[in-house]
């Protein structure tokens, strides 16, 4: 019983395949606008190692929209074509699972000089995810930061898998957190 | 090589999430989920709104197409997808879905050109060989005259618009006239009650010197300005007359240049395709002028003129049955791409 795990919510396109909880394939590609080309190539490599997939797990963001959608629509369509289930998890939760601290904030690059962030305490998300200017987080300055500005954070597939198995926060919709920019004609000056 | 391949085609280049299924030249399913109503309040297509709608609509559209066609996904021989030109964020949803299908089912993937597939859809409704032909491709994003020797790989652009696409001009004039969005069908309807000879609007790039330098190119920005000025200067003008006269100026130029392309190349076949090809006056005038010049006119039914998945599947089917090599997994969606590239490498 193998699980295909995908995340495209950060600049990194990550793909893992785990058989009975054991990693049999893990590869990634770094590039902010490369998800569309990288994801199918990496999955193709992974399927050479293990093609018998019984579940798909995908990071639902928050993340820059275009790349995020690449991973989600790929996961959904692959699952539907193989007639297997897919599970969506919060990408920031997966990053947090890999951080060994009691109290901290995970932040990733949301572009436009903003960040996607969430605060965790003793392994539980207590605030967020939200999108904000980094300055807005000064009130949490006692917390440790994992900032996506200085060192880009991205989730390891094993953490996405772990969260999907807990089945606590299954996500169906992408975490966009921002509305499209367009202004209706009637509201224009 | 398979003579009648069963192909599923996905189209997401603009605001329609479309999935079509064809077997050879036979249409089995054509599902279109449009986000046009979400865009209407913005007065045009908003790329991010379109992309979000594609993601929401993709799985239901695939499921509906399979239901309509009565086939199982495992029966298909290949997957085709619009890889460009179009809105990049929108294209990526379709390309990613198609790549997932191809990998999950271990079937070949064909990335196809949106413009070429608008022409290729003609094979679903006409039994005669498609090529060689001249194609007039007119939509909200494109206005081109093409010489098609082989729809899967030998297409030459004879000319295109220098500014607005024909459909874009319809949208803009509809907005000025207060008709709404999208403008094409609204102007077409409004024009039926008007006199197309009431106002003599300018015909772009039709003067003798321009016909030497730009024989097959189009320009609609001057027309647009002329109509806007006329409306401002003539408040008493009947709206239907403006609609009809504007529409006539557009379709007059489109058909004149298309006929000329047929004559100069000696190709006696014309395909009129793309969303604007659903315009009733364009179809009528093209019919009259082709008949007068001994040219065979082929116009797909209006439902296959606007963006759809069947046209993508049709081009994929032609590519597969002619032995074309499939595209590589990881093919790049591209917002701007010449029509000479019909199938992605």
């Amino acid at each position: 019983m193998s699980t295909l795990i995908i995340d495209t919510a950060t600049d990194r396109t990550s793909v893992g395949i785990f058989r009975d909880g054991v990693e049999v394939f893990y590869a990634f590609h770094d590039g902010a606008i490369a998800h569309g080309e990288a994801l199918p190539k990496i999955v193709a490599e992974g399927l050479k190692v293990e093609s018998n997939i019984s579940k798909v797990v995908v990071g639902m963001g928050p993340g820059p929209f275009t790349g995020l959608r690449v991973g989600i629509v790929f996961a959904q369509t692959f699952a539907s074509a193989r007639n297997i289930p897919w599970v969506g998890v919060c990408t920031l939760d997966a990053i947090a699972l890999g951080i060994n601290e009691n109290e901290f904030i995970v932040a990733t690059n949301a572009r436009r000089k903003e960040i996607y962030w969430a605060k965790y305490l003793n392994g539980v998300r207590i605030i967020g995810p939200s999108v904000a200017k980094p300055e807005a987080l000064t009130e949490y300055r006692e917390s440790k930061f994992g900032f996506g500005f200085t060192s880009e954070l991205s989730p390891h597939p094993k953490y996405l898998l772990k969260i999907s198995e807990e089945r606590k926060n299954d996500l169906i919709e992408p975490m966009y957190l921002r509305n499209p920019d367009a202004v209706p004609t009637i509201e224009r000056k | 090589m398979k003579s009648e391949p069963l192909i599923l085609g996905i189209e997401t280049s603009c605001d329609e999430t479309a999935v079509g299924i064809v077997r050879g030249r036979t249409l089995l399913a054509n599902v279109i989920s449009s986000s046009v109503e979400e865009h209407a309040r913005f007065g045009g297509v908003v790329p991010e709104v379109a992309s979000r709608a594609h993601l929401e609509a993709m799985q239901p559209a695939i499921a509906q197409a399979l239901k309509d066609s009565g086939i199982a996904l495992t029966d298909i021989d290949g997957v085709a997808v619009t890889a460009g030109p179009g809105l990049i964020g929108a294209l990526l949803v379709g390309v990613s879905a198609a790549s997932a299908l191809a990998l999950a089912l271990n079937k070949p993937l064909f990335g196809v050109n949106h413009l070429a597939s608008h022409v290729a859809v003609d094979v679903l409704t006409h039994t005669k060989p498609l090529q060689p032909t001249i194609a007039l491709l007119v939509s909200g994003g494109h206005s081109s005259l093409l010489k098609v020797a082989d729809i899967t790989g030998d297409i030459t652009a004879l000319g295109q618009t220098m500014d607005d696409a024909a459909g874009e001009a319809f949208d803009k004039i509809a907005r000025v006239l207060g008709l709404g969005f999208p403008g094409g069908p609204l102007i077409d309807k409004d024009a039926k009650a008007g006199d197309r000879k009431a106002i003599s609007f300018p015909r772009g790039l039709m003067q003798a010197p321009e016909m030497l330098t730009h024989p097959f190119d189009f320009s609609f920005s001057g027309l647009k300005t002329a109509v806007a000025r006329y409306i401002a200067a003539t408040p008493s003008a009947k709206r239907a007359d403006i609609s009809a006269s504007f529409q006539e100026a557009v379709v007059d130029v489109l058909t004149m240049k298309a006929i000329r392309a047929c004559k100069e190349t000696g190709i006696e076949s014309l395909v009129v395709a793309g969303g604007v090809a659903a315009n009733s006056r364009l179809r009528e005038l093209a019919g009259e002028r082709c008949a007068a010049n001994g040219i065979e006119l082929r116009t797909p039914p209006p439902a296959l003129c606007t963006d759809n998945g069947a046209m993508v599947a049709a081009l994929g089917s032609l590519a597969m049955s002619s032995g074309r090599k499939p595209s590589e997994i990881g093919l790049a969606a591209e917002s701007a791409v010449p029509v000479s590239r019909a199938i992605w490498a």
Side-chain angles (χ1 to χ4, degrees):
Chain A
M1 175 150 166
S2 291
T3 305
L4 171 65
I5 303 144
I6 291 168
D7 190 279
T8 57
T10 69
D11 284 358
R12 175 166 291 185
T13 301
S14 298
V15 177
I17 299 177
F18 282 63
R19 189 188 293 140
D20 299 322
V22 178
E23 177 183 312
V24 294
F25 177 83
Y26 171 45
F28 58 82
H29 178 86
D30 289 332
I33 57 165
H35 305 94
E37 293 162 60
L39 179 61
K41 282 182 194 164
I42 302 175
V43 171
E45 289 304 309
L47 292 176
K48 287 179 193 166
V49 178
E50 170 63 290
S51 174
N52 189 12
I53 307 292
S54 54
K55 183 173 86 170
V56 184
V57 175
V58 62
M60 301 295 277
F65 309 149
T66 300
L68 180 62
R69 273 188 290 267
V70 164
I72 295 173
V73 78
F74 187 99
Q76 291 176 338
T77 311
F78 190 95
S80 140
R82 288 282 180 98
N83 201 20
I84 56 174
W86 68 275
V87 180
V89 303
C90 171
T91 298
L92 297 184
D93 288 356
I95 293 171
L97 207 53
I99 295 174
N100 189 22
E101 296 283 349
N102 290 332
E103 186 180 3
F104 58 93
I105 282 171
V106 170
T108 58
N109 191 348
R111 315 269 165 82
R112 304 179 183 182
K113 298 178 179 169
E114 290 189 324
I115 50 171
Y116 296 117
W117 71 280
K119 183 170 176 177
Y120 296 83
L121 179 65
N122 299 324
V124 177
R125 169 157 38 96
I126 55 166
I127 305 175
S130 303
V131 62
K133 300 274 182 211
E135 306 87 89
L137 271 62
T138 48
E139 61 178 295
Y140 304 108
R141 64 174 170 271
E142 77 283 3
S143 309
K144 295 202 175 185
F145 283 76
F147 260 160
F149 278 156
T150 48
S151 59
E152 184 63 72
L153 291 171
S154 54
H156 190 286
K158 65 185 176 189
Y159 298 126
L160 290 154
L161 177 64
K162 187 149 187 285
I163 292 171
S164 78
E165 285 168 346
E166 289 165 3
R167 305 302 302 257
K168 280 188 198 150
N169 295 306
D170 286 7
L171 296 174
I172 305 295
E173 304 285 336
M175 294 183 132
Y176 288 124
L177 306 187
R178 275 195 198 119
N179 289 324
D181 290 332
V183 179
T185 322
I186 199 164
E187 293 169 18
R188 280 181 216 159
K189 285 184 184 162
Chain B
M1 201 184 304
K2 198 162 176 177
S3 60
E4 293 266 284
L6 185 60
I7 305 288
L8 183 146
I10 296 177
E11 150 71 33
T12 62
S13 69
C14 191
D15 61 339
E16 332 275 2
T17 313
V19 178
I21 298 175
V22 307
R23 188 191 300 278
R25 299 175 71 147
T26 308
L27 176 63
L28 301 181
N30 190 29
V31 174
I32 300 170
S33 169
S34 177
S35 59
V36 68
E37 285 174 10
E38 293 179 54
H39 303 288
R41 67 197 179 96
F42 300 110
V45 174
V46 181
E48 179 58 23
V49 173
S51 300
R52 290 185 182 193
H54 286 315
L55 178 59
E56 282 176 31
M58 185 58 69
Q59 305 312 318
I62 294 173
Q64 188 63 44
L66 292 171
K67 196 175 165 202
D68 291 356
S69 63
I71 65 145
L73 210 40
T74 45
D75 294 337
I76 66 165
D77 297 309
V79 181
V81 63
T82 303
L87 303 170
I88 190 70
L91 288 167
L92 271 165
V93 176
V95 169
S96 300
S99 302
L101 277 184
L103 282 168
L105 304 167
N106 198 22
K107 300 292 182 187
L109 173 69
F110 292 91
V112 308
N113 187 301
H114 178 76
L115 307 183
S117 58
H118 263 304
V119 179
V121 77
D122 185 70
V123 302
L124 300 178
T125 41
H126 296 93
T127 49
K128 279 192 186 173
L130 174 66
Q131 53 224 16
T133 189
I134 296 298
L136 170 65
L137 181 62
V138 273
S139 70
H142 312 280
S143 299
S144 307
L145 263 173
L146 312 174
K147 186 177 127 193
V148 180
D150 175 358
I151 193 65
T152 67
D154 188 354
I155 308 171
T156 314
L158 299 175
Q160 54 265 308
T161 183
M162 313 299 287
D163 38 61
D164 286 359
E168 202 178 348
F170 272 89
D171 284 342
K172 288 176 179 171
I173 294 306
R175 192 185 306 158
V176 177
L177 288 172
L179 286 167
F181 173 86
L186 296 168
I187 287 184
D188 193 355
K189 192 175 166 211
D190 196 48
K192 289 193 196 306
D195 176 3
R196 58 178 176 257
K197 291 180 181 152
I199 312 146
S200 176
F201 287 126
R203 268 64 169 161
L205 298 181
M206 288 291 285
Q207 303 294 323
E210 295 162 346
M211 284 303 279
L212 286 175
T213 52
H214 297 284
F216 304 122
D217 291 325
F218 304 107
S219 168
F220 299 108
S221 66
L223 168 63
K224 209 174 60 189
T225 306
V227 176
R229 280 189 180 158
Y230 182 87
I231 293 167
T234 326
S236 61
K238 193 176 149 200
R239 190 182 70 189
D241 286 345
I242 300 171
S243 290
S245 300
F246 158 75
Q247 176 175 274
E248 193 67 11
V250 175
V251 304
D252 184 29
V253 176
L254 291 175
T255 50
M256 293 258 278
K257 294 209 171 193
I259 299 288
R260 184 175 163 149
C262 291
K263 292 191 143 183
E264 285 204 3
T265 56
I267 296 172
E268 294 177 332
S269 164
L270 173 66
V271 173
V272 180
V276 179
N279 180 276
S280 64
R281 179 58 186 155
L282 175 59
R283 295 170 89 90
E284 182 182 48
L285 192 58
E288 286 169 15
R289 288 182 173 169
C290 282
N293 288 279
I295 294 162
E296 186 196 8
L297 173 67
R298 302 198 287 194
T299 47
L304 294 178
C305 283
T306 45
D307 289 351
N308 63 85
M311 67 186 199
V312 181
L315 183 50
S317 169
L318 291 172
M320 197 165 185
S321 55
S322 66
R324 288 277 311 210
K325 201 170 154 236
S327 309
E328 282 182 15
I329 289 294
L331 67 91
E334 288 177 53
S335 58
V337 59
V339 71
S340 54
R341 190 207 294 169
I343 311 289
W344 263 239

